[in-house]
Amino acid sequence: MTDLLIIIGLTLASCIAVGLIGLFLLHLVRYRSLRQQLTIATLLPVVAVATTVLINVQLMFLSAHDSFVILIALLVSLLLAALGAWLVVRRISRASRRVWAGLHQLVSDSASGTSVVGFGRDCRRSAGARTSAGRPGRNPPNPCRIASSRARCRTVSPGVGQLHVP
């Protein structure tokens, strides 16, 4: 029972230490890119677990071979976690840029007072458009979609979907 309490105490202490270091790192990069912030936040739990396992393995009476096997498993898991974090963060940052571009287009359309009627030709031309990679649904935001979306919102409820820019 005493061994279990020691393991729990060391696990809590190492997780709190890693969490505080992560909090400090997130504070340092708070004005940097979303990619850096998400990478740190994604890797924090993995580093906390790896640190906990490393501390507990060092305190156990394991053979050198067993300790080496556990360390190799930790290294591989850390590398896979870093790869997974990179893939997730890359997708989130790309989606964030697309949302930002769509919002920018929406604000610029609202400021210029563009109407739905002016986009008729563009709508027909881009209705079946594909990207250069040939994947549907990956098109950048176009005025046709934004204008038709606004028109649908106005027919449902007047005043809804209008962006007021001061």
Side-chain angles (χ1 to χ4, degrees):
M1 186 67 173
T2 308
D3 292 341
L4 186 60
L5 291 175
I6 291 172
I7 289 172
I8 291 172
L10 288 173
T11 300
L12 283 173
S14 65
C15 286
I16 289 172
V18 169
L20 289 174
I21 291 170
L23 186 65
F24 176 71
L25 288 174
L26 285 171
H27 180 73
L28 288 178
V29 297
R30 68 184 180 274
Y31 296 116
R32 300 219 180 168
S33 72
L34 180 65
R35 182 175 282 182
Q36 291 174 350
Q37 294 174 19
L38 285 174
T39 301
I40 292 171
T42 305
L43 289 177
L44 270 177
V46 178
V47 172
V49 169
T51 314
T52 299
V53 170
L54 188 63
I55 288 171
N56 286 312
V57 163
Q58 294 300 319
L59 294 177
M60 291 181 189
F61 295 108
L62 296 176
S63 68
H65 177 264
D66 292 345
S67 295
F68 182 72
V69 168
I70 291 173
L71 292 177
I72 293 298
L74 276 177
L75 179 66
V76 170
S77 66
L78 280 172
L79 291 175
L80 287 176
L83 176 67
W86 178 73
L87 291 172
V88 168
V89 166
R90 188 179 76 169
R91 289 193 67 154
I92 289 174
S93 64
R94 281 184 181 171
S96 173
R97 276 183 266 162
R98 276 188 256 146
V99 167
W100 181 254
L103 285 173
H104 179 70
Q105 182 69 36
L106 187 65
V107 169
S108 66
D109 285 352
S110 294
S112 66
T114 310
S115 66
V116 177
V117 177
F119 292 114
R121 192 171 354 112
D122 294 333
C123 288
R124 285 189 298 273
R125 186 175 26 180
S126 66
R130 291 178 167 260
T131 60
S132 60
R135 293 176 290 187
R138 301 264 181 163
N139 295 330
N142 65 30
C144 167
R145 280 194 226 141
I146 294 171
S148 65
S149 175
R150 277 198 203 135
R152 283 193 306 270
C153 287
R154 286 187 188 119
T155 58
V156 171
S157 172
V160 174
Q162 295 181 8
L163 186 63
H164 299 284
V165 180

